Amino acid sequence: MKIRIKFAKEGAMKFIGHLDMMRFFQKVMRRAQVDIRYSEGFSPHQIMSFAAPLGVGVTSRAEYVDIEVLSTDSSEKMLQRLNRVLTEGVEVLSYKRLPDHAAAAMSVVAAADYTIRFREGYEPEDWPDFVRGLDEFLRQDSILVLKKTKKGERSIDIRPWIYKLEKDISEDGINQLKIRVAAGSAANLKPELVIQAYMESRGQKLEEFALLIHRDEVYANRAETGKPDFCPLEQMGENIE
């Protein structure tokens, strides 16, 4: 049986890297006595795959890990069992059964939503003009940036990978931005690179550590061609009663 788990990664846990999170969840499965399936061979390992690695320093309430189990309790009971053994900063939000034919989350990720705030003292002084310029920025046919690769730097056009960029105000009245960008193996765009490109187009510099970034959701694209039809990974499964 295929299971998709959605979890939050917040607080001090944002400084834990992806490989350490993988090892952490392997221990969680054992502590919660999840009847997880193991691979065969001389060195069996848990059948587990994560959707999209989260950058160090980024918080999220939309992390996904797929597992295969031999048996399971209801979604409600499994949430209780998993959350009892988790550390502060990590919370399992949903536990859903996937169709037998469902592809692994890692292979279907197409986009992700983020909320971006400027740290205190780093917000642009001309904030009203700053947000008014977003529409004009997105009306460009291309947005060229220098992206670092293993072989050096190369110029790429990130405009096709930006699906949304708009102003927002949090419930506590803080100015912020909402952005949806491409994610996954086919194309992957860091939200901070978009903000850097926008600020440079205005003659401004994005200071190091100026941004607080939070991942809100991760999507698959259900459309085979044409305009994307994004679906949250969570909605591809169903609760176990």
Side-chain angles (χ1 to χ4, degrees), residues 5 39 128 150 156:
I5 297 171
S39 63
K150 294 179 180 179
I156 60 171

Side-chain angles (χ1 to χ4, degrees), residues 24-214:
F24 170 75
F25 262 90
Q26 291 168 1
K27 294 177 182 178
V28 166
M29 296 299 141
R30 292 194 290 268
R31 290 170 182 163
Q33 297 183 338
V34 176
D35 191 13
I36 192 168
R37 181 177 165 234
Y38 281 77
S39 63
E40 300 178 355
F42 293 104
S43 181
H45 60 272
Q46 297 177 4
I47 305 298
M48 174 186 296
S49 64
F50 287 74
L54 189 69
V56 174
V58 180
T59 58
S60 173
R61 290 188 68 82
E63 297 308 286
Y64 290 92
V65 56
D66 287 355
I67 63 173
E68 291 188 23
V69 298
L70 302 176
S71 64
T72 182
D73 277 338
S74 68
S75 293
E76 181 180 359
K77 289 182 179 179
M78 293 305 296
L79 284 174
Q80 294 172 357
R81 284 169 56 178
L82 289 164
N83 282 318
R84 272 200 299 265
V85 300
L86 289 175
T87 189
E88 183 179 354
V90 182
E91 177 188 4
V92 172
L93 305 174
S94 70
Y95 180 100
K96 296 193 174 187
R97 177 172 52 203
L98 293 172
D100 292 339
H101 63 274
M106 180 187 302
S107 66
V108 299
V109 170
D113 282 347
Y114 296 88
T115 297
I116 299 176
R117 293 183 180 181
F118 284 87
R119 294 181 186 273
E120 186 175 354
Y122 288 90
E123 182 177 302
E125 296 179 358
D126 59 341
W127 181 259
D129 289 335
F130 184 88
V131 296
R132 274 196 293 269
L134 294 175
D135 288 341
E136 183 178 352
F137 177 68
L138 293 182
R139 280 198 292 267
Q140 299 178 94
D141 293 330
S142 65
I143 300 173
L144 299 177
V145 301
L146 282 177
K147 190 173 183 180
K148 294 182 179 180
T149 67
K150 294 179 180 179
K151 298 181 179 180
E153 292 184 338
R154 63 188 180 96
S155 180
I156 60 171
D157 180 12
I158 64 172
R159 180 62 190 90
W161 300 344
I162 307 171
Y163 302 114
K164 179 178 72 174
L165 176 58
E166 59 190 22
K167 68 176 181 178
D168 187 61
I169 298 179
S170 69
E171 293 181 358
D172 50 357
I174 296 177
N175 291 324
Q176 57 189 23
L177 300 171
K178 293 286 188 179
I179 185 171
R180 179 176 297 173
V181 292
S185 56
N188 190 65
L189 180 59
K190 293 182 178 180
E192 56 267 37
L193 188 59
V194 179
I195 304 304
Q196 177 183 325
Y198 175 51
M199 294 186 69
E200 288 179 354
S201 73
R202 306 180 77 248
Q204 297 173 317
K205 180 182 178 182
L206 178 63
E207 299 293 339
E208 193 174 11
F209 308 120
L211 301 179
L212 293 169
I213 302 175
H214 180 84

